[in-house]
Amino acid sequence: MEFCLPNRVLPELAAWYPELAAIRRDIHRAPELGFDTQNTASRIAWLLRDWGVKEIDTESVPGGVIAVVHGNRPGPAIALRADIDALPMKDCSQTDWTSEIDGRCHACGHDGHQTWLLAAVRHLSLRNDFPGSVVAIFQPAEELGKGALAVIDRGILKRYGIREIYGGHSEPLLAKGTFGFRQGPLQAASDVFYVTLKGIGTHCGRPHLGIDPIPIGAQIVTAAQTLVSRRTNPIDTAVVSICSINAGRMDAPNVVPQTLTMSGCVRTFTPETRAMIQEKFTKIVQGIALANDCTAEVRYENIICAVNNDPELAAFAKDTAASLFGADRTVTVDPMMSSEDFAEFQRIIPGVIVRVGVRDQHHTASLHNAAFDFNDEVIPAAATLFVTIAKERLRALAGQG
């Protein structure tokens, strides 16, 4: 088994590669969802104990693991975070380690994320030549947008006095062995909405006796697009997507239905645009419904705020990657409309999330594609990067007093 950048990773991580790849594939076979990740958490805790890590907490965060490695002298604390949950979808990766649980799949790379964090913690425990402590957060429920909040609500950041947090995410748009960075906004805030329109059902030949919610829904779909084209500042950006519309029955083509439901997602970067779209979307739905004599119920939920990488720490992380792997292996990535609940940590403490390239001829599927499989060859390099970031930032913080 080979891995990328063999001459630039820490020797122990290079030696552990076959074992780490096997661990990742075992995780891929047994995906778990949301907060129901107890078996995954138990495996993580067992591996860490086997490697000599003593401070392990599996109780504070449901389905999660908090592991602490102390350096050889007093100092501050920083955190490294990996998400560990899977997606509710069929695995079509066609590998020897395909999911053994139907309808569940690690199609976002979280099996790889937890493996590189496992490797990093193992190395930090073996080579604890740094001040302070590294807190490893193995977080459930990222796909639900609720896992980071659970970690925060359980007081983990305050308990350990965590000053900074770093994480990574696999990126099939980047070649393996390449790392992507961005200062400031990287990923969008995510909100969802659910609309129910209620009219009056009737016979299709007597539409005047009813109130048809279908053309009313169509008006809402069209009007919602003006929130981006005519309400959002052109130098800002946003996405409003209607992703589900349901009304009537295929086997009743002569019946005007009484009810139409629709749902969708909004992605934004700035708090001002986020608030504006929520306000105006609700007014559009209710105004169009009122003008057409039907009723409308709108449920609008704020799920995740935008990922906003600390500029100074992002620059440091990029410089660290360049020193380890070469400047040609580090790139500045554009903002993306995907969301990440790592953003919740960044509302409280400075943090950076890194995009870790996994693309090669065998790994071309996009994230959240049923054919996606994590590229094991990047595990030693990713772990090397996070070990180095952790040690260097702790030394810098300790030096600041």
Side-chain angles (χ1 to χ4, degrees):
M1 302 174 72
E2 297 180 355
F3 54 92
C4 63
L5 305 170
N7 298 322
R8 302 185 184 185
V9 302
L10 293 166
E12 293 85 0
L13 291 165
W16 298 336
Y17 172 63
E19 180 184 359
L20 295 170
I23 288 169
R24 200 284 301 180
R25 295 173 185 184
D26 283 343
I27 295 168
H28 190 91
R29 289 188 181 96
E32 295 183 300
L33 306 179
F35 288 103
D36 296 325
T37 49
Q38 286 76 19
N39 291 332
T40 303
S42 295
R43 183 189 297 109
I44 290 168
W46 182 88
L47 285 166
L48 293 175
R49 291 190 186 100
D50 190 53
W51 294 334
V53 179
K54 295 181 173 56
E55 193 169 337
I56 301 170
D57 174 7
T58 59
E59 300 297 325
S60 293
V61 180
V65 179
I66 310 298
V68 184
V69 177
H70 298 289
N72 58 7
R73 55 196 186 276
I78 69 168
L80 301 177
R81 174 269 202 176
D83 35 18
I84 66 174
D85 57 321
L87 285 158
M89 55 193 296
K90 182 178 178 62
D91 189 342
C92 299
S93 60
Q94 297 183 330
T95 62
D96 292 338
W97 48 88
T98 189
S99 172
E100 296 175 353
I101 305 176
D102 189 44
R104 298 183 189 177
C105 176
H106 269 297
C108 200
H110 296 189
D111 48 346
H113 305 172
Q114 60 187 286
T115 305
W116 71 46
L117 183 53
L118 280 165
V121 173
R122 183 180 184 182
H123 193 279
L124 289 164
S125 179
L126 180 68
R127 307 288 186 193
N128 68 331
D129 54 337
F130 56 88
S133 304
V134 177
V135 181
I137 300 173
F138 294 88
Q139 178 210 304
E142 189 280 327
E143 297 294 352
L144 299 180
K146 301 181 182 297
L149 285 173
V151 173
I152 294 166
D153 291 345
R154 297 304 173 102
I156 301 303
L157 301 185
K158 291 183 178 179
R159 182 187 306 173
Y160 299 102
I162 296 169
R163 302 269 295 273
E164 301 170 359
I165 187 166
Y166 297 85
H169 200 293
S170 49
E171 180 51 78
L173 297 179
L174 295 178
K176 67 181 179 185
T178 301
F179 297 87
F181 302 87
R182 186 168 190 84
Q183 299 179 33
L186 173 64
Q187 293 179 259
S190 177
D191 303 319
V192 296
F193 54 81
Y194 304 89
V195 175
T196 300
L197 299 177
K198 292 186 178 179
I200 298 174
T202 185
H203 189 283
C204 72
R206 298 174 177 177
H208 60 293
L209 299 181
I211 299 175
D212 187 351
I214 293 177
I216 302 169
Q219 290 179 53
I220 292 171
V221 172
T222 300
Q225 305 313 307
T226 65
L227 292 171
V228 175
S229 65
R230 287 296 178 268
R231 291 286 190 170
T232 302
N233 188 328
I235 63 173
D236 192 6
T237 187
V239 172
V240 177
S241 294
I242 310 292
C243 297
S244 171
I245 298 179
N246 294 280
R249 293 174 51 182
M250 283 285 287
D251 58 355
N254 60 347
V255 176
V256 172
Q258 176 178 332
T259 302
L260 178 146
T261 60
M262 68 172 66
S263 63
C265 188
V266 176
R267 300 293 169 102
T268 54
F269 281 104
T270 67
E272 295 79 12
T273 299
R274 188 183 195 189
M276 179 276 292
I277 289 180
Q278 178 172 356
E279 177 194 358
K280 301 301 183 185
F281 178 82
T282 302
K283 285 184 175 180
I284 283 172
V285 173
Q286 293 174 341
I288 290 175
L290 179 63
N292 287 276
D293 298 321
C294 86
T295 63
E297 298 174 5
V298 182
R299 179 159 58 96
Y300 200 106
E301 298 180 5
N302 302 129
I303 305 299
I304 306 169
C305 58
V307 171
N308 194 4
N309 283 339
D310 181 89
E312 180 181 344
L313 299 185
F316 165 80
K318 185 176 182 181
D319 289 344
T320 301
S323 67
L324 288 169
F325 308 121
D328 60 324
R329 294 285 184 172
T330 65
V331 298
T332 298
V333 294
D334 293 329
M336 53 194 73
M337 283 301 189
S338 59
S339 298
E340 236 286 358
D341 78 347
F342 186 86
E344 300 298 337
F345 296 120
Q346 294 176 316
R347 291 192 302 109
I348 300 172
I349 57 175
V352 173
I353 193 163
V354 181
R355 306 301 292 193
V356 179
V358 296
R359 189 178 188 87
D360 62 19
Q361 61 180 339
H362 304 296
H363 299 84
T364 59
S366 66
L367 299 173
H368 288 220
N369 183 307
F372 179 86
D373 182 46
F374 181 81
N375 191 337
D376 296 321
E377 296 178 23
V378 309
I379 294 172
T384 293
L385 176 60
F386 290 113
V387 165
T388 306
I389 286 174
K391 289 186 174 183
E392 294 301 320
R393 282 307 300 165
L394 285 172
R395 290 166 184 154
L397 290 170
Q400 295 171 7

